[in-house]
Amino acid sequence: MCENALSTEKRKRAAKLALNGNLHKALGILLLLLLFPKATAASSPPSARIAVIIGFTEEVDSQLITGLGGEVRYIYRYVVAIAAKVPQAVLSTLRELPSIAYVEPDGVAWALAEEKWGVRKIRAPEVWDAGYKGSGVDVAVLDTGIFYSHPDLASSYAGGYDFVNNDNDPLDDNGHGTHVAGIIASRKNGLGMVGVAPEASLYGVKVLNHRGRGLFSDIVAGVEWAIDGPDGHKGTLDDSEVISMSFGSPTGSTALHNILQVAYGLGIVLVAAAGNYGPFPNSITFPAKYPEVIAVGATDSMDRVALWSSRGQELDVAAPGVGISSTWINNEYKTLGGTSMAAPHVSGAVALMLSKSAALTPTEVRDLLLTTAKDICSAGFDAKSGYGRIDAFAAVSAPP
């Protein structure tokens, strides 16, 4: 009875779409009925479903997916796509529908982890002396969350969201995100450490779980949250000016690239860890590999590129990432190494730049970072260090 009733309902919907001129959708539904007449929620147990991100050519049709036994997780606002779990049997036909732009696996990204010397190395204290400490700049930290009660972070933390557990409490249950947050904006309060931009505001966007892994679908939703800001309205003064991403994946995502393009177009500076897959060539991970994102490699206290820091033509700059001490969960501190630690040095430097010149565009920010970086390998660009190790004071001091 359920299968017959559902099939009848689908045929009615296809007829209605055809009458409205939506022939492509109507034909798609009828084709799926012919090939998969029993692809209903009742006949497709959750174990048989595959997690995917589905892009549409014109408008999202979530009913098409649920009608095929799929479970919709997110309907995105800024990219014409949804995240869902669908029966494996319908994937190949779904990809052939005219209304479907792409169907891609819901891939996994993970934390790229393996302050004091790093903050000094990029000359952040000289920027503070000039009167710029990141005040008024919002930085969204897409990571494992933030242990926001930490004494060095409590006054920097401004809010956030947990997309792993779907609640308003992005409490860090791993430590990685708290370490990243401390590098960016630990307050200068005489306690354990101070971040690069000690007066910037931190937003914890939890997209990685307690093991430091996260689905692309959650990351896309996290970027949307950062675009909207805590008030949920696009284009307000509460939007994030910087998105810091210390995670990576060897494979990309169309949906993730699309939402990052939207953020970039809205004036948000995007920073990401290059990856810990050196010394192999062409080893930059996504999202750092995307052209809209500032890709950051890691150096030690002697300005030597870490052996494990990823290489590639997409690399922009390098920053301190070896033996970096920062905040940790349970009000502790920990020393880590990785491009995960290098990226927040750049995010903090960007916050310093924007606290002086709020009108800088993402392109101008990148250009200033690249042209003022210190050459540490060959002159100009090289695939090992990009354009060199960043110099926050030189970037802030240079004319736009």
Side-chain angles (χ1 to χ4, degrees), residues 352-392:
L352 295 178
M353 296 166 68
L354 295 176
S355 67
K356 178 188 178 184
S357 305
L360 287 173
T361 68
T363 300
E364 290 170 334
V365 167
R366 184 200 295 267
D367 289 345
L368 285 171
L369 285 172
L370 270 53
T371 56
T372 60
K374 178 184 178 182
D375 275 316
I376 56 175
C377 293
S378 58
F381 174 83
D382 62 81
K384 189 176 179 181
S385 66
Y387 285 87
R389 192 257 303 144
I390 66 162
D391 184 330

Side-chain angles (χ1 to χ4, degrees), residues 276-291:
N276 299 341
Y277 297 101
F280 302 107
N282 302 316
S283 54
I284 306 294
T285 59
F286 296 94
K289 200 165 185 172
Y290 294 129

Side-chain angles (χ1 to χ4, degrees), residues 16 23 72 130 145 174 192 343 395:
K16 183 178 180 181
L23 293 176
V72 177
N174 173 279

